[in-house]
Amino acid sequence: MSTESVELKQENNWKRYFTWNTDHKVIGVQYLVTAFAFFLIGGALAMLIRTELLQPGIDFMDGTIYNRVITNHGSIMIFLWIIPVLAGFANYMLPLMIGARDMAFPNLNALSFWLIPVGGLFVLLSFFIGAAETGWTAYVPLSIQAPDGQTIWAIGVILLGFSSIFGAINFVTTTFTMRTEGMGFLELPLFVWSMLATSLLILVATPVLTAGLILIAMDRVFGTIFFTVQAGGDPILWQNVFWFYSHPAVYIMILPGMGIISEVLPVFSRKPIFGYIAIALSSMAISVLGLTVWAHHMFTSGMSPALRVPFMITSMIIAVPTGIKIFSWLGTIWGGKLRFTPSMLFSLGFISMFLIGGITGVFQASVPFDLYVHDTYFIVGHLHFVLFGGSVFSVFSGFYYWFPKVTGREMNERLGKIQFALMFIGANLTYLPMFASGMLGMPRRVVDYAPELASLNLLTTIGAYILGTSVIVFFHNAATSWLRGPKATSNPWRALTLEWMTTSPPPIHNFEELPVVTSGPYEYGETPGASDTRQTLEVTGD
Amino acid sequence: MEKAMETMKAEGSHHEDHFRAGKALGLDHRKLGMWLFLSSEVMFFGGLLSTFLFYKVNNPSPSEVALLDVVLVGVNTFILLTSSFTVVLGLTAIQRNNVQGVMRFLGITMLLGAVFLAGQGYEFVKLYYEGMTLSSSVFASAFFTLTGFHGLHVFIGLIWAGLTIFKAYQGQYSAEEYGGVEIFGLYWHFVDIVWIVLFTLIYLV
Amino acid sequence: MKPRNIILLLILAVILITIGVLVATTIDVSAILPIQASESAIYIDQLFRTMLGIAVVIFLIVEGGLIYAVFRFRRKRGETGDGAPIHGNTLLEVIWTLIPAIIVIVISIYSYQILTEIERPGVKPLVIEVIGKQFAWEFRYPDEEVTTTSLHLPIDREINLQITSEDVIHSFWVPEFRIKRDATPGQISELILRPTEAGTYRILCAELCGPGHAAMVTEVVIESKEEFDDWIEKQSNLAELPSSSPEGRRALFITQACGSCHTLDDANAVGIVGPSLNEIGAIAETRVPGLDAQNYITQSILQPNAYIVEGYTSNLMPNNYGERLTAEELQALVEYLLEQK
């Protein structure tokens, strides 16, 4: 049997996605599909929350069920949607982008994926066994007293942590040891740089959360008294251990997304990235600085008053490398020839929304202001601007960008623009009022609120329904395009990074012959007015 | 415009060196992977250790500290250190193509590791009967959790040592190909170094 | 750069800075801020407006630039060429690194000053203990040995709240004061404030503490020194009133802290964890067929889970009133409640 026909058989066989497969492209798709499934579940929980909060008063969820819903909404969106979906993109694209045939440790890679549905099962199961109901932050002593589901939830999160750590080991080793000839570190695509910065954080911070969750599990199951106050246990210890991971976690959730933006903008501006080294280094800076800011989540905890100040300073300073990226992205599109594909629209939307998220983050870094807005809807608004307007928008940008490469088909551009419009309007309508409701007196994690806050909550809920609609549009587009979309060429966007120098989808060994790199990844405009004649020239109209 | 990529005809894809870039940097990918894994393990023990130190300082339990047997555990520490030495001897052996040697030395390592675990088990039981349990104090909770998870890592190391011996027995290692032994050695030395830190901060300080 | 462009940039800069200053100093933010009832509120609102002014300018620059670029640099139909091969501009990159750095350092220093101002310990503050528990707040005035379910404060006096919790972490928050502090079991966290505006405001719990988190609401009353002294004296006399008298029965309701979870206008109780008792005298007999009002109320006190009102959660009301109340006290309470129609 010839190699080609074996490959064809393999490529057309959907069953391999349900097996232990070591091909990074299969694993990437497994990650992506699983993560999107959890996005739907987490999103459904969000719709439940916003429906309950449509009007003041208890409508259909009492305090207990509501607490379970918000806990799982947060846990699923963080551990089962954003972190894995970005890992999924990295898994698929990183080896291609550096001209490698796979990841350094293919079996470890498969393990990393399979830990996701297993961990996810634990998290979902906890819902039905007297669930985790303490918020994803699981503050003690409340989480020690919570019902059995809390332990199951903790085990699930520990398993998901292992998945993340093993993935990081793979990303770093692959990047260091498997770059093709000519690809030095200064020729790395910025998405790869962002994965390096992300992996550093995963390796340093995630194990600390593991340790903390073990402390909680030991207290709940084995009778230790780490957090028994009467015996000298300290609830603040948990907060420190938890946030030491969970603050870097937010950078784990945004850095790969920023990497995607850096890939998409040059392609659809037909211009090199502005400030390549600054962007690469700013990713590393955010990573390192990100390990020094965690106590800004604890300003109201009664922590040592003097210690709040250095954390305020580090939290403020981290705005600088972040700002460098935003300005560099502006510099990239400035003077370009902008083409507004859905991918590009989501990247531009990312910049706009992340700008608001980032600015409000600086507000929160200020201790006295945080004493006011901590644990209110101001924070909820901020976090959704950066996580939805930021991370989720970057996921959709990457999805529309890389869909042809992964599936060999094209997404429907018109539906994509409709999705973008609905999502952009929906997100702003949902999250902007939250700054006001927070400042007017709405705490976080409340099933009910004061009547004066009714109109703001109404706006938010309407926005949420629009968001939900946009997600339906997306899934319709993705499903029909995957099944029946027009065939895509190897390089429909005329991009210059290595993943586009092979077929769509790539063969099992990625490249017929490994490419040799002789310049950087964003060398557009070398001859003004012309473009590369070597690449597949299929100029799709718009 | 001449573009970035030319392609290079490989001499048959199955002879290609996937890890060429790593070799240029002097990095064996398996060792790099292990070092990265160990760095995450450092942070894991760091989390447990910080908890222990926090409670040791803020909630000292002098009566329980007095129960700790520095001599017993000191001897045990020496045994664990010796087991690291035997790993080095084993690695040297296979680097000289001495398969019997690596099997023997790793076997001694397993034995010493098992003795360490037995000693730790004995210590735990003794403390339990003297009133120091998982729930007797926050100090005790932290003590048992920290040393217990270290013991778990030793146990995993024992299994790994056994697997390595088995692979040596199957002829998978030689003077040219001993990476697997090196990787195991890295893990075992790490577990040892963690213990030195733990022993110092728990028993000596 | 051309002189004309430099002048245009300068004019733009002046316009933006003017906008920023206007926002920081004159914009009316009362739509999104509660009234200022403490000194710290004044400082924090000032900080907010300053940061808002800076934020608006930055937003206008970046978003304005983006929107401008979207229109100015859109690709023309059918155009397939590339833009200019610009990789960076060192001067520009230095500027947009330094200026944000300076801005955040300035904000940090200003914030530090505000922080020092609002947390300056008073000379002889009124010390009050605040205890959070699932799902009510308790306030103890140590000098008068009075414990209450709502917080009364004399205006313009320096207050030092010693905040802790009996069970899980709660957080004491009055939006009109702006500042909040967590109530953590096993430790006492201090909150310094100076009330400046008379009135009644809500105290909210701002840390998820269980099913009753959203219902953990009570009130703080800021009043004149005379009114405050009056009130304190009344509270300390409550325990001495005989439970057979009408005032005594109401006093019992208050000292047993029923108001931390129930609303009862007659006793100035504003709790919302459990159902309102304003009409309980009339409703009681209709609740369970065959059960008269007296028995319904008695049983509801002794066995709270027996008849849960729709929309409210079980297992929140303490179930040990049988031990906490003497028989006379229980009877007095029931009689008091029967009168509420």
Side-chain angles (χ1 to χ4, degrees), chain C residues 18-166:
Chain C
T18 311
I19 293 177
V21 169
L22 279 175
V23 167
T25 53
T26 63
I27 200 176
D28 176 21
V29 288
S30 61
I32 56 171
L33 283 173
I35 73 165
Q36 300 168 331
S38 80
E39 203 171 70
S40 30
I42 301 170
Y43 284 113
I44 288 180
D45 288 4
Q46 200 179 306
L47 172 64
F48 171 66
R49 289 157 65 129
T50 307
M51 293 200 292
L52 189 64
I54 299 173
V56 166
V57 173
I58 294 177
F59 182 80
L60 285 175
I61 293 176
V62 178
E63 196 61 22
L66 187 137
I67 293 175
Y68 176 76
V70 156
F71 284 101
R72 170 85 169 71
F73 300 113
R74 60 189 320 153
R75 167 182 94 153
K76 299 188 187 18
R77 204 158 253 294
E79 185 175 14
T80 63
D82 287 358
I86 298 174
H87 288 85
N89 179 318
T90 312
L91 176 64
L92 207 49
E93 292 176 60
V94 167
I95 291 177
W96 69 43
T97 305
L98 279 184
I99 292 190
I102 293 171
I103 291 177
V104 296
I105 290 175
V106 165
I107 296 179
S108 300
I109 295 175
Y110 182 46
S111 298
Y112 178 74
Q113 289 172 336
I114 298 279
L115 182 63
T116 320
E117 204 50 57
I118 63 179
E119 292 192 342
R120 215 170 0 107
V123 175
K124 251 194 92 193
L126 173 59
V127 176
I128 307 171
E129 294 165 25
V130 177
I131 299 121
K133 47 188 164 181
Q134 288 164 319
F135 299 99
W137 293 102
E138 201 174 85
F139 307 99
R140 288 191 202 147
Y141 295 80
D143 292 336
E144 296 85 351
E145 290 177 358
V146 158
T147 302
T148 64
T149 59
S150 66
L151 181 63
H152 282 240
L153 299 174
I155 195 171
D156 285 329
R157 175 85 194 275
E158 262 144 11
I159 314 283
N160 183 317
L161 298 178
Q162 304 275 309
I163 304 175
T164 187
S165 162
E166 261 179 23

Side-chain angles (χ1 to χ4, degrees), chain A residues 101 223 225-226 234 513 516 518, chain B residues 4 6 9 16 55 135 141:
Chain A
R101 296 207 184 278
I225 50 179
F226 288 110
D234 190 346
E513 292 143 7
V516 172
T518 55
Chain B
E6 301 149 359
K9 284 261 184 258
E16 259 168 345
Y55 282 133
S135 30
S141 289

Side-chain angles (χ1 to χ4, degrees), chain A residues 130-150:
Chain A
E133 52 189 37
T134 59
W136 80 283
T137 50
Y139 273 20
V140 302
L142 186 64
S143 58
I144 306 296
Q145 304 168 358
D148 293 337
Q150 191 82 30

Side-chain angles (χ1 to χ4, degrees), chain A residues 151-193:
Chain A
T151 310
I152 311 233
W153 172 89
I155 296 174
V157 177
I158 291 177
L159 290 174
L160 295 167
F162 286 151
S163 164
S164 198
I165 292 172
F166 296 152
I169 294 174
N170 239 329
F171 294 137
V172 176
T173 309
T174 305
T175 305
F176 269 81
T177 62
M178 295 178 74
R179 286 163 290 116
T180 191
E181 185 171 323
M183 180 159 289
F185 279 86
L186 291 181
E187 285 77 39
L188 280 178
L190 287 168
F191 179 65
V192 181
W193 270 106

